[in-house]
C-alpha cells in the first residue's frame, strides 16, 4: 500500500514539475526564437532547456537529501526492520526524482525547440 502512495506522490510531483517547466518555457519563447534566429540549432536549444531543468532537479535533490536524513531521525522509532538512513533507498529516491524531472521537462523543452523564430518574435 505504501508503494502505491509513493508512486502517487511521484506522479503528482512530476505533473507539478511539468506545469512549472511548461510555464517557464512558454515565458522564454521569445528568447528561444532569438537564439534560433541567430543560428542555434534545435538540438542546441533542446539541450539548453533540458540542462536548465536538470540543474534545478539536481539542486532540489542536493537540498532534499540532507533534509530527508535529518527528518528521518524523527520517524526512526516508527520503522521496524529498516534503517531510516538506508543508502539504497536514499539514492533510489534521488534517482527517481531526477528521472521524473527529466521526463517532465522533455516535452516542454522539445516544444520550445520547435518554435519558429518569426512566430516567437511576434508573440511579444
Amino acid at each position: 500500500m505504501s508503494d502505491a502512495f509513493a508512486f502517487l506522490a511521484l506522479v503528482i510531483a512530476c505533473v507539478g514539475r511539468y506545469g512549472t517547466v511548461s510555464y517557464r518555457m512558454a515565458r522564454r519563447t521569445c528568447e528561444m526564437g532569438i537564439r534560433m534566429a541567430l543560428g542555434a540549432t534545435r538540438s542546441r536549444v533542446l539541450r539548453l532547456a533540458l540542462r536548465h531543468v536538470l540543474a534545478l532537479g539536481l539542486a532540489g535533490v542536493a537540498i532534499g537529501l540532507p533534509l530527508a536524513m535529518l527528518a528521518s531521525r524523527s520517524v526512526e522509532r516508527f520503522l521496524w526492520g529498516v534503517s531510516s538512513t538506508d543508502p539504497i533507498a536514499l539514492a533510489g529516491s534521488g534517482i527517481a526524482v531526477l528521472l521524473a524531472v527529466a521526463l517532465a521537462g522533455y516535452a516542454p523543452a522539445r516544444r520550445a525547440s520547435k518554435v519558429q523564430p518569426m512566430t516567437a518574435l511576434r508573440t511579444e
Side-chain angles (χ1 to χ4, degrees):
M1 188 63 158
S2 64
D3 293 341
F5 285 125
F7 181 73
L8 181 63
L10 185 63
V11 168
I12 289 171
C14 193
V15 168
R17 187 67 193 150
Y18 175 82
T20 304
V21 170
S22 183
Y23 175 74
R24 287 185 60 105
M25 287 297 140
R27 298 280 304 187
R28 295 177 67 185
T29 301
C30 186
E31 175 195 343
M32 298 298 171
I34 291 171
R35 287 181 186 275
M36 292 185 73
L38 291 175
T41 61
R42 287 184 176 170
S43 63
R44 186 129 173 115
V45 171
L46 180 66
R47 277 195 312 250
L48 173 75
L50 282 177
R51 193 173 346 144
H52 179 72
V53 169
L54 288 175
L56 289 175
L58 282 172
V61 168
I63 293 169
L65 282 180
L67 290 176
M69 290 187 70
L70 285 174
S72 70
R73 298 191 192 280
S74 64
V75 297
E76 191 170 23
R77 62 184 167 179
F78 299 115
L79 300 174
W80 292 281
V82 179
S83 170
S84 65
T85 56
D86 184 22
I88 295 173
L90 289 173
S93 64
I95 291 170
V97 167
L98 286 177
L99 185 63
V101 166
L103 290 175
Y106 180 73
R110 186 166 178 230
R111 194 176 330 120
S113 72
K114 290 186 176 185
V115 169
Q116 295 294 325
M118 288 307 295
T119 306
L121 295 174
R122 286 186 187 142
T123 59
E124 275 297 311

